[in-house]
Amino acid sequence: MHKVDATVTAGWIGTGKVRAREDGDAVEIVIDGLTTQAKYYKPLVYEFMRKEWRGAKPSWGDHVVEIRMEHVGEPPWMDLDNLAKALLDSIKGYLFHDDAQVARLLVERREGERERILIRSYPRQA
């Protein structure tokens, strides 16, 4: 996964818990903070995409989605598959038309400098 530095504000849309930007063909989304409830993220990101996102429109074809949960200290007790499903549901219709277009999905948890979730989505190259 490419490194996303949320402290750099150039090109970022959003001022709340969710921010996003375009990086070439990719869209990067940063969600500040963590909770153990994966269902919390679906409405949070969906509302951001609905109200604030004015970037790339959904496209057809295969896509790659990379999701990284960064935690400080002990990792939160959360199933990554539930987190991935909530996040895919929230960006569906904004970055791609249907989550069946996701041909490659990487979901990982690791220690980081702050608690956050990073999403990177881009068309899969042939």
Side-chain angles (χ1 to χ4, degrees):
M1 175 179 262
H2 300 338
K3 183 175 167 91
V4 176
D5 186 354
T7 60
V8 177
T9 58
W12 289 93
I13 298 168
T15 56
K17 286 189 168 286
V18 182
R19 291 179 308 286
R21 72 175 178 183
E22 291 183 80
D23 179 21
D25 287 343
V27 173
E28 298 173 336
I29 301 170
V30 177
I31 307 161
D32 290 329
L34 291 179
T35 177
T36 58
Q37 299 296 312
K39 63 185 178 183
Y40 164 82
Y41 296 105
K42 183 176 179 179
L44 179 71
V45 176
Y46 174 80
E47 285 302 308
F48 167 82
M49 297 303 286
R50 187 176 74 81
K51 292 179 179 178
E52 297 187 52
W53 181 246
R54 298 292 178 259
K57 300 295 179 211
S59 61
W60 293 104
D62 287 345
H63 282 71
V64 175
V65 178
E66 300 168 347
I67 301 169
R68 183 173 69 225
M69 179 201 331
E70 292 185 352
H71 61 89
V72 176
E74 290 296 314
W77 192 257
M78 180 190 330
D79 292 340
L80 290 180
D81 60 324
N82 293 335
L83 175 65
K85 182 62 178 159
L87 294 172
L88 289 174
D89 285 347
S90 68
I91 61 176
K92 175 179 59 178
Y94 295 98
L95 304 184
F96 42 81
H97 294 281
D98 189 277
D99 51 5
Q101 292 176 253
V102 178
R104 180 173 184 264
L105 175 63
L106 171 67
V107 185
E108 67 178 336
R109 175 184 64 223
R110 68 181 192 196
E111 194 155 350
E113 297 175 9
R114 63 182 64 94
E115 293 190 335
R116 62 186 177 178
I117 295 173
L118 306 134
I119 305 167
R120 184 172 172 86
S121 176
Y122 52 93
R124 186 175 189 179
Q125 302 302 317

Short mmCIF file of all heavy atoms in Angstrom, two decimals, residues 74-111:
data_model
loop_
_atom_site.label_atom_id
_atom_site.label_comp_id
_atom_site.label_asym_id
_atom_site.label_seq_id
_atom_site.Cartn_x
_atom_site.Cartn_y
_atom_site.Cartn_z
N GLU A 74 -2.29 -1.80 21.85
CA GLU A 74 -3.03 -3.02 21.53
C GLU A 74 -4.06 -2.74 20.42
O GLU A 74 -4.74 -1.72 20.46
CB GLU A 74 -3.76 -3.54 22.77
CG GLU A 74 -2.82 -4.10 23.82
CD GLU A 74 -2.08 -5.34 23.33
OE1 GLU A 74 -2.72 -6.23 22.72
OE2 GLU A 74 -0.86 -5.40 23.53
N PRO A 75 -4.17 -3.66 19.46
CA PRO A 75 -5.16 -3.45 18.39
C PRO A 75 -6.58 -3.56 18.93
O PRO A 75 -6.84 -4.33 19.86
CB PRO A 75 -4.85 -4.57 17.39
CG PRO A 75 -4.13 -5.60 18.18
CD PRO A 75 -3.41 -4.89 19.28
N PRO A 76 -7.52 -2.82 18.35
CA PRO A 76 -8.92 -2.94 18.78
C PRO A 76 -9.46 -4.31 18.40
O PRO A 76 -9.03 -4.91 17.42
CB PRO A 76 -9.62 -1.82 18.02
CG PRO A 76 -8.73 -1.46 16.91
CD PRO A 76 -7.34 -1.83 17.31
N TRP A 77 -10.42 -4.79 19.16
CA TRP A 77 -11.02 -6.09 18.92
C TRP A 77 -12.10 -5.93 17.86
O TRP A 77 -13.24 -5.62 18.15
CB TRP A 77 -11.61 -6.64 20.23
CG TRP A 77 -11.99 -8.06 20.15
CD1 TRP A 77 -13.26 -8.54 20.01
CD2 TRP A 77 -11.14 -9.20 20.18
NE1 TRP A 77 -13.24 -9.90 19.96
CE2 TRP A 77 -11.95 -10.34 20.06
CE3 TRP A 77 -9.75 -9.37 20.29
CZ2 TRP A 77 -11.43 -11.62 20.06
CZ3 TRP A 77 -9.26 -10.66 20.28
CH2 TRP A 77 -10.08 -11.75 20.18
N MET A 78 -11.70 -6.08 16.60
CA MET A 78 -12.62 -5.88 15.48
C MET A 78 -12.27 -6.86 14.37
O MET A 78 -11.10 -7.07 14.06
CB MET A 78 -12.50 -4.45 14.94
CG MET A 78 -13.42 -4.18 13.77
SD MET A 78 -13.16 -2.62 12.89
CE MET A 78 -12.52 -1.51 14.07
N ASP A 79 -13.31 -7.46 13.78
CA ASP A 79 -13.10 -8.35 12.65
C ASP A 79 -12.82 -7.52 11.40
O ASP A 79 -13.63 -6.67 11.02
CB ASP A 79 -14.33 -9.22 12.41
CG ASP A 79 -14.57 -10.22 13.52
OD1 ASP A 79 -13.62 -10.52 14.26
OD2 ASP A 79 -15.72 -10.70 13.63
N LEU A 80 -11.69 -7.77 10.77
CA LEU A 80 -11.33 -6.99 9.58
C LEU A 80 -12.28 -7.23 8.42
O LEU A 80 -12.50 -6.33 7.61
CB LEU A 80 -9.89 -7.29 9.17
CG LEU A 80 -8.80 -6.76 10.10
CD1 LEU A 80 -7.43 -7.13 9.56
CD2 LEU A 80 -8.91 -5.26 10.30
N ASP A 81 -12.86 -8.42 8.33
CA ASP A 81 -13.80 -8.67 7.24
C ASP A 81 -15.05 -7.80 7.37
O ASP A 81 -15.58 -7.30 6.39
CB ASP A 81 -14.15 -10.15 7.13
CG ASP A 81 -14.81 -10.71 8.39
OD1 ASP A 81 -14.44 -10.30 9.50
OD2 ASP A 81 -15.69 -11.58 8.25
N ASN A 82 -15.50 -7.58 8.60
CA ASN A 82 -16.66 -6.70 8.82
C ASN A 82 -16.31 -5.25 8.50
O ASN A 82 -17.12 -4.51 7.93
CB ASN A 82 -17.16 -6.81 10.25
CG ASN A 82 -17.74 -8.17 10.55
OD1 ASN A 82 -18.20 -8.87 9.65
ND2 ASN A 82 -17.72 -8.56 11.80
N LEU A 83 -15.10 -4.84 8.87
CA LEU A 83 -14.64 -3.50 8.55
C LEU A 83 -14.60 -3.30 7.04
O LEU A 83 -15.10 -2.31 6.51
CB LEU A 83 -13.26 -3.25 9.15
CG LEU A 83 -12.61 -1.91 8.79
CD1 LEU A 83 -13.42 -0.74 9.36
CD2 LEU A 83 -11.18 -1.86 9.29
N ALA A 84 -14.03 -4.26 6.33
CA ALA A 84 -13.92 -4.17 4.87
C ALA A 84 -15.30 -4.06 4.23
O ALA A 84 -15.51 -3.24 3.33
CB ALA A 84 -13.16 -5.36 4.32
N LYS A 85 -16.24 -4.89 4.67
CA LYS A 85 -17.59 -4.86 4.09
C LYS A 85 -18.25 -3.51 4.31
O LYS A 85 -18.84 -2.94 3.38
CB LYS A 85 -18.43 -5.99 4.69
CG LYS A 85 -19.82 -6.07 4.11
CD LYS A 85 -19.80 -6.38 2.62
CE LYS A 85 -21.22 -6.51 2.08
NZ LYS A 85 -21.27 -6.32 0.63
N ALA A 86 -18.14 -2.96 5.52
CA ALA A 86 -18.75 -1.65 5.81
C ALA A 86 -18.14 -0.56 4.94
O ALA A 86 -18.85 0.29 4.39
CB ALA A 86 -18.58 -1.31 7.29
N LEU A 87 -16.82 -0.59 4.78
CA LEU A 87 -16.15 0.44 3.98
C LEU A 87 -16.45 0.29 2.49
O LEU A 87 -16.67 1.28 1.79
CB LEU A 87 -14.65 0.42 4.24
CG LEU A 87 -14.26 0.83 5.66
CD1 LEU A 87 -12.77 0.62 5.89
CD2 LEU A 87 -14.66 2.27 5.96
N LEU A 88 -16.47 -0.95 2.00
CA LEU A 88 -16.81 -1.17 0.58
C LEU A 88 -18.23 -0.69 0.29
O LEU A 88 -18.49 -0.05 -0.73
CB LEU A 88 -16.66 -2.63 0.20
CG LEU A 88 -15.23 -3.16 0.12
CD1 LEU A 88 -15.24 -4.66 -0.13
CD2 LEU A 88 -14.43 -2.44 -0.94
N ASP A 89 -19.16 -0.98 1.21
CA ASP A 89 -20.54 -0.52 1.03
C ASP A 89 -20.62 1.00 1.00
O ASP A 89 -21.44 1.57 0.28
CB ASP A 89 -21.44 -1.05 2.14
CG ASP A 89 -21.77 -2.53 1.99
OD1 ASP A 89 -21.52 -3.10 0.90
OD2 ASP A 89 -22.28 -3.11 2.96
N SER A 90 -19.78 1.67 1.77
CA SER A 90 -19.85 3.14 1.85
C SER A 90 -19.25 3.84 0.64
O SER A 90 -19.65 4.96 0.33
CB SER A 90 -19.17 3.62 3.13
OG SER A 90 -17.77 3.42 3.07
N ILE A 91 -18.32 3.21 -0.08
CA ILE A 91 -17.71 3.85 -1.25
C ILE A 91 -18.31 3.36 -2.56
O ILE A 91 -18.07 3.95 -3.61
CB ILE A 91 -16.18 3.71 -1.26
CG1 ILE A 91 -15.73 2.25 -1.32
CG2 ILE A 91 -15.57 4.42 -0.06
CD1 ILE A 91 -14.23 2.05 -1.43
N LYS A 92 -19.12 2.30 -2.48
CA LYS A 92 -19.80 1.77 -3.67
C LYS A 92 -20.73 2.85 -4.21
O LYS A 92 -21.45 3.50 -3.47
CB LYS A 92 -20.59 0.52 -3.29
CG LYS A 92 -21.44 -0.06 -4.38
CD LYS A 92 -22.15 -1.30 -3.93
CE LYS A 92 -23.04 -1.01 -2.74
NZ LYS A 92 -23.79 -2.16 -2.28
N GLY A 93 -20.69 3.04 -5.51
CA GLY A 93 -21.50 4.07 -6.13
C GLY A 93 -20.78 5.40 -6.26
O GLY A 93 -21.25 6.31 -6.94
N TYR A 94 -19.64 5.51 -5.60
CA TYR A 94 -18.83 6.74 -5.68
C TYR A 94 -17.49 6.50 -6.36
O TYR A 94 -17.03 7.33 -7.12
CB TYR A 94 -18.62 7.33 -4.28
CG TYR A 94 -19.93 7.79 -3.69
CD1 TYR A 94 -20.62 6.99 -2.80
CD2 TYR A 94 -20.48 9.01 -4.06
CE1 TYR A 94 -21.84 7.40 -2.28
CE2 TYR A 94 -21.69 9.43 -3.55
CZ TYR A 94 -22.37 8.62 -2.66
OH TYR A 94 -23.58 9.02 -2.16
N LEU A 95 -16.86 5.36 -6.08
CA LEU A 95 -15.56 5.05 -6.70
C LEU A 95 -15.69 3.94 -7.74
O LEU A 95 -14.91 3.89 -8.69
CB LEU A 95 -14.55 4.68 -5.63
CG LEU A 95 -14.35 5.71 -4.53
CD1 LEU A 95 -13.25 5.27 -3.57
CD2 LEU A 95 -14.05 7.09 -5.09
N PHE A 96 -16.64 3.05 -7.55
CA PHE A 96 -16.98 2.01 -8.52
C PHE A 96 -18.47 1.76 -8.37
O PHE A 96 -19.08 2.18 -7.39
CB PHE A 96 -16.16 0.72 -8.29
CG PHE A 96 -16.01 0.34 -6.85
CD1 PHE A 96 -17.01 -0.33 -6.17
CD2 PHE A 96 -14.85 0.67 -6.16
CE1 PHE A 96 -16.87 -0.66 -4.83
CE2 PHE A 96 -14.69 0.33 -4.82
CZ PHE A 96 -15.71 -0.33 -4.16
N HIS A 97 -19.07 1.11 -9.36
CA HIS A 97 -20.52 0.95 -9.37
C HIS A 97 -21.01 -0.15 -8.44
O HIS A 97 -22.08 -0.02 -7.85
CB HIS A 97 -21.01 0.69 -10.80
CG HIS A 97 -20.81 1.86 -11.70
ND1 HIS A 97 -21.63 2.95 -11.70
CD2 HIS A 97 -19.83 2.12 -12.61
CE1 HIS A 97 -21.21 3.83 -12.58
NE2 HIS A 97 -20.11 3.36 -13.16
N ASP A 98 -20.25 -1.21 -8.30
CA ASP A 98 -20.68 -2.35 -7.49
C ASP A 98 -19.46 -3.00 -6.86
O ASP A 98 -18.41 -3.09 -7.51
CB ASP A 98 -21.42 -3.36 -8.39
CG ASP A 98 -22.09 -4.44 -7.60
OD1 ASP A 98 -21.38 -5.41 -7.23
OD2 ASP A 98 -23.29 -4.34 -7.33
N ASP A 99 -19.59 -3.48 -5.63
CA ASP A 99 -18.42 -4.08 -4.99
C ASP A 99 -18.00 -5.40 -5.63
O ASP A 99 -16.92 -5.91 -5.36
CB ASP A 99 -18.56 -4.19 -3.47
CG ASP A 99 -19.82 -4.85 -3.00
OD1 ASP A 99 -20.60 -5.34 -3.85
OD2 ASP A 99 -20.05 -4.89 -1.79
N ALA A 100 -18.81 -5.92 -6.54
CA ALA A 100 -18.39 -7.09 -7.31
C ALA A 100 -17.25 -6.73 -8.26
O ALA A 100 -16.56 -7.62 -8.77
CB ALA A 100 -19.57 -7.67 -8.10
N GLN A 101 -17.02 -5.44 -8.49
CA GLN A 101 -15.91 -4.99 -9.34
C GLN A 101 -14.57 -5.05 -8.61
O GLN A 101 -13.53 -4.88 -9.25
CB GLN A 101 -16.15 -3.54 -9.79
CG GLN A 101 -17.30 -3.36 -10.74
CD GLN A 101 -17.50 -1.89 -11.03
OE1 GLN A 101 -18.45 -1.29 -10.56
NE2 GLN A 101 -16.59 -1.31 -11.79
N VAL A 102 -14.58 -5.28 -7.32
CA VAL A 102 -13.33 -5.34 -6.56
C VAL A 102 -12.67 -6.68 -6.84
O VAL A 102 -13.10 -7.73 -6.38
CB VAL A 102 -13.56 -5.13 -5.04
CG1 VAL A 102 -12.25 -5.26 -4.28
CG2 VAL A 102 -14.21 -3.78 -4.79
N ALA A 103 -11.61 -6.63 -7.66
CA ALA A 103 -10.89 -7.84 -8.09
C ALA A 103 -9.75 -8.17 -7.14
O ALA A 103 -9.27 -9.30 -7.10
CB ALA A 103 -10.36 -7.65 -9.51
N ARG A 104 -9.30 -7.18 -6.38
CA ARG A 104 -8.23 -7.40 -5.41
C ARG A 104 -8.55 -6.56 -4.19
O ARG A 104 -8.81 -5.37 -4.30
CB ARG A 104 -6.87 -6.99 -5.98
CG ARG A 104 -5.73 -7.21 -5.00
CD ARG A 104 -4.37 -6.95 -5.67
NE ARG A 104 -3.31 -7.24 -4.75
CZ ARG A 104 -2.70 -6.33 -3.99
NH1 ARG A 104 -3.06 -5.06 -4.05
NH2 ARG A 104 -1.73 -6.68 -3.18
N LEU A 105 -8.54 -7.22 -3.02
CA LEU A 105 -8.85 -6.54 -1.77
C LEU A 105 -7.78 -6.90 -0.75
O LEU A 105 -7.56 -8.07 -0.47
CB LEU A 105 -10.23 -6.97 -1.26
CG LEU A 105 -10.68 -6.44 0.10
CD1 LEU A 105 -10.80 -4.92 0.07
CD2 LEU A 105 -12.01 -7.08 0.48
N LEU A 106 -7.11 -5.89 -0.24
CA LEU A 106 -6.10 -6.08 0.80
C LEU A 106 -6.60 -5.36 2.05
O LEU A 106 -6.89 -4.16 1.99
CB LEU A 106 -4.75 -5.49 0.36
CG LEU A 106 -3.67 -5.44 1.45
CD1 LEU A 106 -3.25 -6.85 1.85
CD2 LEU A 106 -2.49 -4.63 0.99
N VAL A 107 -6.72 -6.08 3.14
CA VAL A 107 -7.14 -5.49 4.40
C VAL A 107 -6.11 -5.90 5.44
O VAL A 107 -5.82 -7.09 5.60
CB VAL A 107 -8.54 -5.99 4.84
CG1 VAL A 107 -9.01 -5.27 6.08
CG2 VAL A 107 -9.54 -5.84 3.70
N GLU A 108 -5.54 -4.92 6.12
CA GLU A 108 -4.53 -5.23 7.12
C GLU A 108 -4.67 -4.35 8.34
O GLU A 108 -5.22 -3.26 8.29
CB GLU A 108 -3.13 -5.12 6.54
CG GLU A 108 -2.71 -3.73 6.16
CD GLU A 108 -1.28 -3.67 5.63
OE1 GLU A 108 -0.47 -4.56 5.95
OE2 GLU A 108 -0.98 -2.73 4.90
N ARG A 109 -4.15 -4.86 9.45
CA ARG A 109 -4.10 -4.12 10.71
C ARG A 109 -2.64 -4.07 11.12
O ARG A 109 -1.94 -5.08 11.06
CB ARG A 109 -4.93 -4.87 11.75
CG ARG A 109 -4.86 -4.27 13.12
CD ARG A 109 -5.61 -5.10 14.14
NE ARG A 109 -4.97 -6.41 14.27
CZ ARG A 109 -5.61 -7.56 14.34
NH1 ARG A 109 -6.92 -7.61 14.28
NH2 ARG A 109 -4.97 -8.70 14.47
N ARG A 110 -2.20 -2.87 11.52
CA ARG A 110 -0.83 -2.77 12.00
C ARG A 110 -0.67 -1.55 12.89
O ARG A 110 -1.48 -0.63 12.86
CB ARG A 110 0.16 -2.74 10.85
CG ARG A 110 0.13 -1.52 10.00
CD ARG A 110 1.16 -1.68 8.89
NE ARG A 110 1.38 -0.43 8.21
CZ ARG A 110 1.97 -0.33 7.07
NH1 ARG A 110 2.42 -1.39 6.46
NH2 ARG A 110 2.14 0.85 6.51
N GLU A 111 0.40 -1.56 13.66
CA GLU A 111 0.66 -0.43 14.55
C GLU A 111 1.11 0.76 13.72
O GLU A 111 1.82 0.62 12.73
CB GLU A 111 1.73 -0.81 15.58
CG GLU A 111 1.79 0.18 16.71
CD GLU A 111 2.35 -0.40 17.99
OE1 GLU A 111 2.53 -1.62 18.09
OE2 GLU A 111 2.60 0.41 18.89
#
